[in-house]
Amino acid sequence: MLTRLLGMPDPSRHDYVVVGGGIVGAATARALTLRFPGKRVLLLDKEPGFGRHQTGHNSGVIHSGIYYAPGSLKAELCRAGAAATERFAEEHGIPWQRIGKLLVATTPAEVAGMHALAERAEVNRIPATLLTAAELREREPHIAGLGALHLTSTGITDYGRINVALAGLVEQAGGTLMTGTAVTGVRETGSEVVLATTSGDVVADYVVYCAGIQADRVAAMAGVDVDFAMIPFRGEYYDVRPERADLARTLIYPIPDPELPFLGVHLTPTVDGGLNVGPNAVLGLAREGYPKFSFDRRDALDIARFPGIWQVARSNVRTGARELWNSLSKRGYLKLCQKYCPELRLEDLTPREAGIRAQAVMRDGSFVHDFLLRETPRGLHVVNAPSPAATSALPIADEIVRRVALAQGA
């Protein structure tokens, strides 16, 4: 109040606030500073640092976009995002490599899927080459299959470092960073949005919500009609012992199940010279519980009360049971990998912290495979930012800011 009386800017008031400092939120805050120079932009996160959830727990893959329908927004954003991610990493001294990907078929059904993906790659203008079993073995001596689709444009990087760099650019442009601050309430009027937070009220002209796994709860705070739920799927990883990191020089992926939004357990070389394997996809009982067997009473009750989850369960009984078994059994997990890497042994796998995928599910039990946005007069909720959100974060942010500008007539 004193600052207002003195004619000085109110430090608690901002032109734009971005709630959620993962890679999409940080990229959006940076894009706002570029689109609206001189405007007061705040990037806010409840954790002590940025990128502590999905961004800090992914495989680090720069995806090519082969899985997505030709001409779809996901395909276009992925292709643009891969190029933008590589440029950003190069410009800011963040390690990245374009090591390529092999989609390995191990059954006749997967061979058919491999050929379908090859056709999709051609339509999506993604360089791809079909390899025979012998050509696969020649390229990757420790990998076995009936054939493979080789994509040269896929790469790896460290998205956590990209996230931190994006937040730093927001601050350099005159924006404000606020960590350790959770939003506890939202009140939107015709002239402003008041965010109740654990650090006091924050006032904004417009708010972009990139709340990830908490998107449904934050949207409900803002008065949005929430016809979806954010369901946590644990993605469990293992590191491969350093002395066995030469098992793969290329990203090794199975042919994905087209009915599921998950890509299957894959071998991933890392930019620091390591090799990891994962993730699987098993229903989690804690939205932010990364250790095995994590349980949160509120999260579990919310899942049980959501009608869509029972339809998901009925439609995916066999898949769910298999994923649960592979989560409980290290030997079962190993068998998934041995389909295409038969030399991998139980003792080669060492524990690595899991990730949690925020998957939006509608009340009818359908997975949301594409972007899901909800708008209010002074807010935009990025509800579902599906894989490859990390790869596509920069063009996703540009699209979000374009929509913000349209909403404001700017």
Side-chain angles (χ1 to χ4, degrees), residues 23-36 73 77 80-81 84-85 87 166 208 373 380 382 392-406:
I23 194 167
V24 172
T28 298
R30 182 224 182 196
L32 285 166
T33 66
L34 295 174
R35 179 70 180 261
F36 304 110
L73 182 60
L77 288 176
T85 298
R87 285 195 304 271
L166 285 165
V208 179
L373 306 176
L380 175 64
V382 183
S392 306
L394 295 171
I396 287 173
D398 290 339
E399 175 63 18
I400 290 170
V401 172
R402 184 187 71 81
R403 292 182 183 231
V404 170
L406 283 174

